Amino acid sequence: MDRTILTGAMLIDGSGAAPVAGRAVVIEQGRIAAVVAERDAPSGTVRRLDGLTLLPGLINCHVHLCFGGEPDPAAALLKDPHATTVIKAVLRARQTVEAGVTTVRDLGGRDYAELSVRDAVRAGLVPGPRILCAGRGICITGGHGWHLIGREADGPDEVRKGVREQIKAGADVIKIFATGGVMTPGVDPNSAQLTLDEVRAAIEEARKAGRRTAAHAGGAEGIANALEGGITTIEHGIFLNEALCRRMARDGVALVPTLIAPQAILTGGVAAGIPEFAVRKSEAVCDRHVESFVMAMRLGVPIAAGTDAGTPLNGHGSMVPELELMVKAGLAPLAAIHAATAAAAHALGLEHETGRVAPGLAADLLAVAGNPAERIGALDEVRLVMAQGRLVVNHT
């Protein structure tokens, strides 16, 4: 039997527990067969990771593989032929997995190009993370995302049809735009867009097909509509309040905060070529965004990490910029790792497949220099990556 034994590393298992030493991780047929004391490890090919920290492959719950993090990603994307979009998305997928991110959820691309990348990775044609795709997000006519990644729909029946179209196209998850946002001109991030009846229709159709749901939701009214409809995750959550946080905590609805997205826009500004409307809106929401994240932490809302990768100056690959902002806001480094591993897996419905170093799960593994439980930036010091048992990076 083909068996690999990883030994010598400090182990962070993703559960939130403190790091432990002296463990061996046994890998067979692409899965974790056992986690045992090093002295009890079975025979096999031993790969020593002395001086490193071993943890689950990271999970990014919010990416856009078709966007490249240019100052104006929409303009850049529209210049490219469809085939070029696919090729660039393949390269970004590879960049992502080589950074130790072994699962992503893509929440909007271009004409389903990201689904082709997902399928190519699944078939072993190209290296990349496990990819869950939403296809086109359901938005109101002229609402957030309409001009690029949205499927406009007005009224519950049209919303149902829009969701069914995404399922027909092969979407793994359904995204709705419950509010306005930063990157669409002429819409307010704090304004509700889809009505409660429309939200309910979308989520009901998704459930019938066994799909989870994600809501782009900045403003309180739109967040409330999404929660009332039975949403799985809230993306961004800029204008949360205590009542909404308590409901999310009670119902187990995860917040995917994406703190880095508006922060990167503010850091670059108009001087970097970012559209003025996006800079202006980011200035208006950035501080409130952090306040909402702090409130969510305090009130026990599940936190699942996501970066919104592909938005202006917010590139693919490393999750460290997002995790550092979460830590700066008060989340302990070990809790930030949990948000990017086991908690993220649970939010995506993948807790029985990935997110922890535990027997029976896929061998999605990352080894880094240093101890990220003490310094979250150590996650960028990648030495080894396994994705579903396949060795992607080996600098040991």
Side-chain angles (χ1 to χ4, degrees):
M1 176 181 290
D2 183 17
R3 176 185 290 148
T4 299
I5 318 295
L6 304 181
T7 66
M10 185 75 71
L11 178 65
I12 297 175
D13 69 3
S15 69
V20 295
R23 298 292 191 272
V25 178
V26 182
I27 300 167
E28 297 175 358
Q29 298 180 324
R31 305 194 79 81
I32 299 169
V35 180
V36 298
E38 287 184 346
R39 64 179 178 273
D40 297 329
S43 61
T45 301
V46 175
R47 189 178 296 275
R48 295 214 54 95
L49 304 175
D50 299 290
L52 305 182
T53 300
L54 181 66
L55 63 156
L58 303 182
I59 299 172
N60 193 334
C61 292
H62 194 133
V63 307
H64 299 278
L65 289 170
C66 292
F67 299 132
E70 302 90 351
D72 189 345
L77 181 62
L78 290 172
K79 291 178 182 177
D80 285 336
H82 183 79
T84 302
T85 297
V86 175
I87 292 168
K88 287 182 176 180
V90 165
L91 295 175
R92 292 166 193 147
R94 180 169 190 160
Q95 177 185 358
T96 297
V97 77
E98 289 178 349
V101 180
T102 56
T103 301
V104 300
R105 183 178 57 167
D106 188 296
L107 290 181
R110 178 190 183 188
D111 297 330
Y112 305 112
E114 67 282 7
L115 275 73
S116 298
V117 179
R118 175 200 66 189
D119 294 344
V121 172
R122 287 180 181 175
L125 300 176
V126 297
R130 177 188 293 101
I131 303 172
L132 303 182
C133 293
R136 295 191 173 110
I138 309 302
C139 66
I140 65 170
T141 296
H144 184 52
W146 74 268
H147 60 310
L148 208 57
I149 64 173
R151 195 287 192 191
E152 292 174 301
D154 298 305
D157 288 344
E158 186 65 16
V159 164
R160 289 182 190 279
K161 183 176 181 180
V163 171
R164 290 170 182 171
E165 287 172 357
Q166 308 321 304
I167 294 166
K168 179 182 178 180
D172 305 292
V173 60
I174 297 300
K175 181 181 183 180
I176 63 172
F177 290 98
T179 73
V182 167
M183 290 307 300
T184 301
V187 303
D188 180 358
N190 198 16
S191 67
Q193 295 201 334
L194 290 172
T195 67
L196 177 56
D197 285 345
E198 289 169 335
V199 168
R200 282 176 168 155
I203 294 171
E204 181 179 303
E205 284 302 312
R207 280 183 176 160
K208 283 162 55 178
R211 304 301 199 273
R212 293 188 169 219
T213 50
H216 166 102
E221 183 182 351
I223 296 170
N225 286 342
L227 295 177
E228 184 65 24
I231 204 73
T232 309
T233 66
I234 295 291
E235 313 299 305
H236 318 304
I238 296 168
F239 295 98
L240 285 168
N241 57 43
E242 290 199 356
L244 292 171
C245 286
R246 289 194 177 95
R247 178 161 189 176
M248 291 175 70
R250 182 196 73 192
D251 295 345
V253 176
L255 172 66
V256 182
T258 68
L259 299 176
I260 189 61
Q263 185 59 59
I265 291 172
L266 287 185
T267 299
V270 175
I274 299 173
E276 189 273 337
F277 73 84
V279 176
R280 175 173 42 80
K281 287 195 278 187
S282 293
E283 289 171 344
V285 305
C286 203
D287 288 346
R288 185 65 173 84
H289 196 179
V290 175
E291 291 171 7
S292 288
F293 174 69
V294 171
M295 183 191 309
M297 283 193 299
R298 176 171 57 84
L299 295 175
V301 175
I303 305 295
T307 67
D308 215 354
T311 55
L313 307 187
N314 181 18
H316 293 273
S318 174
M319 294 185 69
V320 166
E322 174 71 13
L323 299 180
E324 285 181 333
L325 287 176
M326 292 164 71
V327 170
K328 181 179 179 181
L331 195 65
L334 200 58
I337 293 169
H338 179 65
T341 55
H346 188 269
L348 303 189
L350 296 174
E351 64 269 30
H352 300 300
E353 179 64 18
T354 192
R356 292 175 296 124
V357 182
L361 300 189
D364 295 331
L365 298 165
L366 166 65
V368 300
N371 183 357
E374 296 177 352
R375 182 179 62 87
I376 199 70
L379 291 173
D380 269 346
E381 298 173 22
V382 175
R383 298 294 181 268
L384 179 140
V385 178
M386 279 189 174
Q388 299 184 66
R390 294 191 294 271
L391 193 61
V392 177
V393 173
N394 181 20
H395 300 312
T396 57

